[in-house]
């Protein structure tokens, strides 16, 4: 999958590239793919940068659960395989074949679990990345790991602040100028809270 | 108010930044985020259309309402209830529908069915998940895959651009499997014919009886075989 197309820059991509998240000149584009291994249908969710109300991240326990799911069998099968291998060395006759027949599959499965565990540990803790607009609250699935999610949030925050402080669209509606003034005060990173929040 | 991504409990963030971490009162997790004042820009506001007055322009769709805008697509007058804003462009609902569903302009497209992925997975999934028999299923699916690949050769492959690699892979694999299937069927038919032909030859090779010593059943066989041999000799 390309890193950029037209004016869009890729921020994140999901497993096998089924879903992806892009930053455009005026919007964030979430390509939500549904399918098996490859996307059969792609849906496009666009979030206009001037209309985004909030972005939030929360750490989840999915990564820890995955560590347990991969780690426990890796340890158990590894120990069982090692014990069987050790017994095979001391056994005589047909028992040697039996112990090897137990040890080899156990160690193979343990190795697979270990690889998955290492991959999960390298990817880091999991999280939920959420974007809120006036009409929807959407979860961005490609950003399911905490480190890339924080990096993207740090990248997005100044872009969204600039867009809302009088970007290309500018304020609209009867509440526009007032909102713009209020936002202008707030965009200087002052910790002020609007009445609605 | 920002809902917690896990439990939807209301959270408060400073408007416009900086990025802060607060503890959710519902799930007790640390939520990192930032909020803006986008809610004051008119998104989600309900505007009641005004009634048209004498001499004023009415909305194209609902003439009793006063027009407040002009569609950027077709130029018709619109009231606030009959128009939608799409990245700064005001469109009537007919134009918006046409651009999203009929024309599928890139900035308006809502969804894409990715035919080359579907075609490729029709072949690959049986091979991956059904041991041994998967190849027969893939062979059965190969004509469908070839149809999909040829029928949708010009269809868009999604909004983020991709090369034609999967299209070629699906087409090539389907063609190969189809050839394998045809060759397999041909081999089976040839084998059946060869076996049946060999069976005939076995019957032909039965030696003729000597001086009518054979039993009644043997006589019949001999007679048949004798005829066939005689026929062959004549030919």
């Amino acid at each position: 999958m390309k890193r950029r197309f037209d004016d869009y820059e890729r921020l994140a991509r999901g497993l096998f590239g089924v879903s992806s998240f892009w930053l455009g000149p005026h919007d964030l584009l979430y390509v939500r793919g549904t399918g098996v291994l490859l996307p059969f249908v792609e849906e496009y969710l666009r979030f206009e940068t001037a209309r985004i109300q909030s972005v939030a991240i929360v750490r989840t326990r999915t990564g820890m659960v995955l560590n347990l799911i991969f780690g426990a069998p890796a340890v158990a099968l590894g120990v069982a395989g090692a014990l069987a291998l050790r017994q095979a060395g001391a056994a005589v006759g047909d028992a040697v074949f039996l112990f090897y027949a137990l040890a080899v599959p156990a160690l193979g499965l343990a190795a697979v679990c270990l690889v998955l565990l290492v991959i999960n540990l390298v990817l880091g803790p999991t999280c939920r990345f959420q974007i809120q607009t006036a009409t929807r609250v959407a979860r961005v699935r490609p950003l399911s790991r905490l480190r890339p999610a924080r990096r993207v949030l740090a990248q997005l925050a100044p872009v969204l602040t600039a867009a809302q402080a009088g970007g290309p669209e500018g304020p609209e509606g009867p509440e526009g100028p007032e909102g713009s003034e209020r936002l202008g005060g707030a965009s200087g990173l002052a910790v002020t809270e609007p009445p609605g929040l | 108010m920002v809902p917690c991504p896990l439990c939807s409990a209301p959270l408060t963030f400073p408007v416009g930044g900086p990025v802060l971490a607060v503890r959710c009162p519902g799930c007790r997790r640390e939520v990192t985020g930032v909020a803006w004042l986008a809610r004051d820009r008119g998104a989600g506001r309900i505007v009641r259309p005004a009634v048209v007055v004498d001499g004023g322009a009415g909305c194209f769709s609902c003439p009793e309402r006063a027009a407040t805008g002009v569609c950027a697509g077709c130029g018709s007058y619109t009231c606030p209830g009959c128009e939608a804003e799409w990245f700064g462009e005001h469109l009537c609902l007919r134009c918006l529908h046409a651009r999203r569903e009929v024309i599928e302009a890139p900035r308006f497209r809502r969804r894409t069915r990715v035919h080359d992925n579907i075609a490729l997975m029709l072949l690959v999934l049986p091979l991956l998940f059904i041991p041994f028999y998967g190849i027969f299923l893939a062979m059965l699916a190969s004509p469908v895959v070839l149809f999909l690949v040829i029928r949708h050769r010009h269809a868009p492959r999604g909004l983020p651009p991709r090369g034609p690699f999967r299209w070629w892979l699906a087409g090539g694999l389907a063609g190969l499997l189809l050839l394998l299937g045809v060759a397999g069927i041909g081999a089976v038919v040839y084998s059946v014919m060869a076996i049946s032909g060999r069976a005939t030859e076995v019957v032909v090779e039965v030696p003729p009886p000597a001086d009518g010593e054979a039993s009644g059943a043997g006589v019949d066989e001999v007679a048949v075989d004798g005829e066939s041999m005689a026929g062959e000799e004549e030919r």
Side-chain angles (χ1 to χ4, degrees), chain B residues 143-214:
Chain B
V144 180
V145 170
L146 274 180
F147 169 78
L148 278 177
V149 164
I150 294 168
R151 169 75 178 79
H152 299 288
R153 62 191 180 280
H154 297 307
R157 298 189 182 97
L159 195 56
R162 277 192 297 110
F165 175 73
R166 288 176 197 168
W167 187 87
W168 280 108
L169 188 63
L173 207 56
L176 190 68
L177 283 169
L178 197 62
L179 279 179
L180 268 177
V182 169
I185 290 171
V188 167
V189 169
Y190 179 78
S191 305
V192 167
M193 287 176 70
I195 288 168
S196 62
R198 199 178 299 154
T200 308
E201 281 172 13
V202 167
V203 172
V204 167
E205 282 172 1
V206 172
D211 301 333
E213 288 177 357

Side-chain angles (χ1 to χ4, degrees), chain B residues 37 40-41 49 80 94 141 172 196 212 220:
Chain B
L37 272 175
D40 288 343
R41 289 174 171 266
R94 289 181 305 280
S196 62
D220 288 343

Side-chain angles (χ1 to χ4, degrees), chain A residues 2 5 8 20 22 26-27 29 31 36-44 46 48 50-61 128 130 132 134 137 150 153 157 160-161 163-166 169-176 179 182-183 186-187 189-194 196-197, chain B residues 1-6 11-20 27 29-45 85-88 100 105-118 120-121 124-125 128-129 157-163 166:
Chain A
K2 294 186 175 178
F5 72 95
Y8 287 86
S20 51
W22 303 77
H26 307 299
D27 61 325
L29 173 65
V31 180
V36 183
L37 298 181
L38 291 175
F40 298 160
V41 176
E42 284 185 350
E43 283 181 283
Y44 309 113
R46 293 176 174 85
E48 201 173 345
R51 298 278 168 91
I52 290 173
Q53 291 182 349
S54 72
V55 179
I57 302 170
V58 63
R59 183 175 173 164
T60 58
R61 291 185 184 139
R128 261 189 203 194
Q130 173 185 285
Q132 182 191 11
V137 177
R150 280 189 176 152
L153 179 59
L160 298 183
T161 304
Q164 305 213 13
E169 279 83 19
E172 294 155 7
E175 296 166 11
R182 284 162 61 186
L183 189 65
S187 63
L189 304 185
V191 188
T192 53
E193 191 178 320
L197 287 179
Chain B
M1 209 74 73
V2 178
C4 171
L6 273 185
L11 305 172
T12 304
F13 283 101
V15 174
V19 177
L20 276 187
C27 59
R29 303 283 181 88
E30 194 178 78
V31 183
T32 310
V34 61
W36 292 275
L37 272 175
R39 63 168 55 212
D40 288 343
R41 289 174 171 266
R45 247 180 334 113
E85 190 196 342
W86 196 264
F87 294 104
R100 276 173 75 71
R107 280 180 64 81
F108 291 83
R109 199 187 302 166
R110 191 169 65 90
R111 57 186 279 167
T112 302
R113 196 177 294 275
V114 193
H115 295 283
D116 55 347
N117 284 351
I118 295 172
L120 188 58
M121 282 298 116
V124 171
L125 286 180
L128 278 181
F129 294 115
R157 298 189 182 97
L159 195 56
R162 277 192 297 110
R166 288 176 197 168

Side-chain angles (χ1 to χ4, degrees), chain B residues 60-77:
Chain B
F60 180 80
S61 301
C62 37
E64 72 278 7
R65 303 288 184 192
T68 54
V70 178
C71 172
C74 61
S76 63
Y77 289 125

